[in-house]
Amino acid sequence: MGATAIVEGVRLRDGELRRVLRERFGHDRFRGHQEEAVVAFIQGRDLLLTMPTGAGKSLAYQLPALLVEGLTLVVSPLIALMADQVDGLVSRGIAATFVNSSIDGGERRRRLDACCRGEFDLLYVTPERFRSPDFLERLPRLRITRLAVDEAHCISQWGHDFRPDYSRLARYRALLGNPPTIALTATATPRVAEDITRALALRDPLVLRSGIERPGLFFAATVCDSVEQKIDHLAQRLAQIEGAGIVYGTLVRDLEHLAVELRRRGLAPLLYHGGLSFRERREFQRRFMESRDGIVLATNAFGMGVDKADIRFVIHYQVPRTLEAWAQEVGRAGRDGGPAWCELLYFEEDLAIQQNFIQWANPSLEYLLGVYEVLRGWGERIATRDLDDLRAELLVKERRDNRVVICLKWLEVLGVTEGSFETHDLRLTRELDPAELPPSVGSQEKLEHDLSALLGVVRFAREETTPRRVLLARHFDLPEEGLAFGCDNSEDPCAWRSAHLAPRAPLSPAPPRLEADDTPFQRGDWVRIDGRHLGQVVRVEGRGGRIKLLIESAGDLRRRQVDPRRRRVERL
Ligand code: ADP
């Protein structure tokens, strides 16, 4: 292992970058802005690079990491993806590793020490790592010569996925001696792009931004007047499209209902949501990656790291919170260059869900101080309490209301608390001075900004004449020529579908039902177990009242034997 060093500033021989691209990464040519970014980063410039998801942003720092001396530190919030990213690099013989909370302390130290000895070119960490004494102590010896900040929109309070830990990155960057830095994100409004540059203190950065350039994609939006209409419309649409794809929804409860309804209409969807364990998620993703025609119903937890080239449709069953989130999700369609259908179903009542989420994502200053006061009031007893106690104190009734968690994160990032409820070592380390909170915490402006972003989605969905390219160019401040795709406001969607997509093969018809007195269940039935778990019967064993069911859970796809005399099994 070890870096293939070149002295910085030396002109690269002609064709050198292409050779590395081919030999180390297996690609024949650069895509979009990749080459420009690679050259600038090797030369030591700061960069802000926006390219759609799946376009190949990572190469902009991975390739330079092989050529520039020293270590490239990659900051990413996506713990679940780090192992995969690093495995992918290692399988190409690239010296990369990661350090995060998914591996134990001993192994973390071993990896960091190996980095100190110069055995790696790339080290992936989460921003939380900068709070770890082991990491901070080794920083000077890591010889970090480049910094890459992935998912850089998380820095911006105006981004759709703000993370308090990211707000400290400028400070961390200074700790590293301000190495040349590249900030990467799939989508950024001008305001977010500005915020990233400022928050990371990038010096005269080279800004490279590209929009969605996939002529194979077709964007459409449909206004629906009821849930039933929405489901009928979706079922009809899915039947028209052969191949694998994703239907995004906001609430698991609604997706469960949708799964049952689609099944009734002869489709066989899979259901994915954030409640699945890490192992279940991996298994689910593996099955989807291998499937040629799988329909996944998913919350936005699904997709990060799903690099499936032949996704033929991405349909939003409920409105997403921002156009940035929407763009990121539709960016998963048609990566193989083939046609893909992207449709947003707009139903006014779905807005209320997002409005709630926005309220919960923006706890007021009083709320935050309330959380702090409860912790302070508990004093030593804090060690015996947990998150549920805190929620109870603050009278949180809605399970999805996670304001408490956001406030705890702020207190941690500000250094007011250490430890966590999960590890039973949460404690206050000092007094909180409200004046030290960033101005956006609890601000009305931030709340209004988020609500107006939602309104942007509504406008986009309801617009019937302006080409969607024009709408997106305005929103993201991109040149219209840089956006290439078809849309319902510029051409006939039916004609596009019949020219580009084939209908889905119908499922084999369900076998006729058995006699009612024989058994109430049969293969293919959707059932709910104990009023909670949704699943599908894959086998019925025994007869009459003495049967056992083999049920495939819609959540984790595992098969379990269930005795309906012991468990409450309702047929849906
Ligand atoms: P992003 O970070 O923009 O979502 P990635 O960097 O993960 O995207 O790359 C997405 C996929 O594109 C990967 O499978 C990667 O190997 C591939 N890729 C990157 N650059 C090129 C290229 N120049 N030619 C072909 N494939 C590429």
Side-chain angles (χ1 to χ4, degrees):
M1 291 203 270
T4 332
I6 61 157
V7 182
E8 276 186 61
V10 166
R11 265 177 70 91
L12 292 166
R13 268 180 290 124
D14 264 3
E16 171 87 349
L17 293 181
R18 264 162 219 262
R19 185 183 60 73
V20 179
L21 180 71
R22 209 174 35 249
E23 289 175 7
R24 306 300 296 273
F25 294 91
H27 306 316
D28 291 333
R29 59 187 70 82
F30 286 106
R31 276 185 187 162
H33 291 303
Q34 276 180 337
E35 186 165 16
E36 222 178 319
V38 163
V39 170
F41 202 38
I42 290 176
Q43 288 170 343
R45 253 193 106 167
D46 287 344
L47 280 110
L48 169 61
L49 177 65
T50 69
M51 282 165 82
T53 313
K57 286 183 285 301
S58 342
L59 195 90
Y61 60 83
Q62 287 171 347
L63 199 157
L66 304 187
L67 299 176
V68 172
E69 275 184 19
L71 185 68
T72 296
L73 184 72
V74 187
V75 178
S76 162
L78 310 173
I79 294 195
L81 297 192
M82 268 184 201
D84 286 347
Q85 284 170 327
V86 166
D87 285 351
L89 290 168
V90 170
S91 71
R92 294 181 183 282
I94 293 169
T97 190
F98 69 90
V99 164
N100 64 29
S101 57
S102 74
I103 53 175
D104 69 51
E107 178 60 22
R108 282 203 295 265
R109 283 188 289 277
R110 268 191 294 283
R111 291 185 187 190
L112 288 175
D113 288 337
C115 288
C116 290
R117 292 192 299 272
E119 291 175 19
F120 288 100
D121 290 328
L122 283 143
L123 169 64
Y124 285 72
V125 298
T126 53
E128 289 83 359
R129 198 51 31 210
F130 284 93
R131 287 195 260 124
S132 140
D134 279 343
F135 184 64
L136 290 175
E137 186 252 315
R138 285 170 179 77
L139 265 190
R141 285 181 287 133
L142 286 173
R143 281 224 312 136
I144 293 165
T145 50
R146 292 289 183 278
L147 175 65
V149 179
D150 205 3
E151 308 291 337
H153 56 271
C154 298
I155 282 183
S156 170
Q157 327 250 358
W158 312 110
H160 62 282
D161 197 12
F162 173 63
R163 317 244 167 159
D165 260 298
Y166 260 68
S167 64
R168 309 222 124 189
L169 276 180
R171 211 171 297 186
Y172 302 149
R173 182 176 179 230
L175 259 166
L176 304 175
N178 290 316
T181 298
I182 182 167
L184 309 110
T185 174
T187 51
T189 56
R191 186 171 193 179
V192 170
E194 238 169 69
D195 235 19
I196 294 173
T197 305
R198 199 183 34 75
L200 277 173
L202 301 181
R203 291 150 304 198
D204 181 27
L206 174 64
V207 179
L208 299 171
R209 309 184 61 199
S210 55
I212 301 170
E213 287 177 52
R214 291 209 209 136
L217 297 196
F218 192 92
F219 294 149
T222 304
V223 177
C224 301
D225 297 322
S226 68
V227 175
E228 292 70 36
Q229 191 198 346
K230 210 163 48 144
I231 294 173
D232 284 339
H233 180 88
L234 177 63
Q236 199 185 8
R237 190 64 83 231
L238 292 173
Q240 290 165 339
I241 309 174
E242 186 184 52
I246 311 173
V247 176
Y248 279 110
T250 314
L251 298 181
V252 177
R253 190 190 60 204
D254 295 345
L255 288 176
E256 285 185 351
H257 174 70
L258 178 64
V260 173
E261 291 298 324
L262 291 180
R263 181 75 212 178
R264 282 211 179 109
R265 289 161 173 80
L267 295 151
L270 304 165
L271 188 68
Y272 182 96
H273 57 83
L276 303 182
S277 72
F278 183 61
R279 199 183 47 73
E280 290 163 347
R281 286 180 189 215
R282 283 187 80 113
E283 172 59 17
F284 192 103
Q285 292 191 354
R286 191 188 60 74
R287 285 192 44 177
F288 181 60
M289 297 297 284
E290 288 169 5
S291 91
R292 280 195 25 250
D293 59 358
I295 302 170
V296 169
L297 309 185
T299 58
N300 61 3
F302 185 71
M304 296 246 196
V306 176
D307 189 10
K308 185 171 169 65
D310 58 347
I311 291 182
R312 296 274 75 88
F313 60 89
V314 170
I315 300 179
H316 284 81
Y317 175 67
Q318 289 168 317
V319 280
R321 202 183 310 174
T322 60
L323 276 177
E324 289 88 298
W326 170 85
Q328 192 142 356
E329 282 158 5
V330 295
R332 302 198 169 109
R335 289 188 184 177
D336 55 5
W341 178 262
C342 304
E343 185 171 2
L344 172 56
L345 303 186
Y346 174 75
F347 174 42
E348 202 171 293
E349 285 180 21
D350 289 338
L351 286 182
I353 309 167
Q354 292 295 8
Q355 279 163 341
N356 277 339
F357 276 117
I358 289 172
Q359 298 282 353
W360 293 331
N362 291 291
S364 65
L365 186 58
E366 294 72 49
Y367 197 93
L368 189 133
L369 295 176
V371 170
Y372 168 71
E373 286 306 330
V374 172
L375 297 179
R376 216 162 66 129
W378 281 345
E380 293 291 300
R381 286 169 298 147
I382 203 169
T384 62
R385 303 294 162 99
D386 63 19
L387 194 59
D388 285 339
D389 297 326
L390 184 58
R391 290 165 72 94
E393 282 289 333
L394 290 153
L395 308 173
V396 180
K397 294 201 182 62
E398 252 298 334
R399 195 174 42 83
R400 293 183 303 262
D401 174 356
N402 67 341
R403 279 177 295 176
V404 167
V405 175
I406 294 173
C407 293
L408 283 174
K409 190 77 194 170
W410 270 117
L411 294 175
E412 184 185 348
V413 167
L414 292 166
V416 173
T417 63
E418 272 179 10
S420 73
F421 278 130
E422 292 82 52
T423 43
H424 305 290
D425 59 354
L426 185 69
R427 63 198 173 282
L428 285 180
T429 50
R430 63 174 180 85
E431 299 264 310
L432 170 70
D433 174 3
E436 67 182 311
L437 287 163
S440 70
V441 175
S443 84
Q444 190 61 23
E445 191 193 355
K446 169 78 166 69
L447 184 64
E448 280 165 14
H449 168 273
D450 288 2
L451 288 170
S452 79
L454 178 59
L455 205 61
V457 182
V458 176
R459 286 206 198 95
F460 181 77
R462 302 200 66 115
E463 177 60 48
E464 289 178 357
T465 48
T466 316
R468 300 199 182 274
R469 181 176 46 256
V470 176
L471 301 172
L472 291 181
R474 270 186 218 145
H475 182 81
F476 290 112
D477 189 27
L478 288 165
E480 269 176 49
E481 317 78 77
L483 294 157
F485 47 79
C487 89
D488 53 352
N489 291 350
S490 20
E491 55 188 297
D492 177 5
C494 290
W496 189 91
R497 277 198 309 274
S498 33
H500 295 94
L501 302 170
R504 176 174 296 273
L507 283 183
S508 49
R513 289 211 67 80
L514 303 174
E515 289 302 313
D517 62 357
D518 188 3
T519 157
F521 299 102
Q522 71 167 27
R523 190 164 64 82
D525 281 348
W526 278 85
V527 291
R528 190 177 293 285
I529 307 160
D530 298 335
R532 291 195 296 144
H533 312 290
L534 188 71
Q536 194 178 15
V537 177
V538 288
R539 198 163 62 226
V540 182
E541 290 159 10
R543 286 182 74 78
R546 302 181 148 274
I547 54 163
K548 291 234 171 64
L549 305 173
L550 188 65
I551 294 178
E552 183 175 89
S553 149
D556 61 10
L557 300 174
R558 274 172 56 194
R559 295 183 172 197
R560 298 176 174 88
Q561 219 181 37
V562 173
D563 182 345
R565 282 169 305 172
R566 291 167 191 268
R567 310 277 295 272
R568 188 156 58 85
V569 186
E570 304 153 78
R571 199 155 60 78
L572 299 168

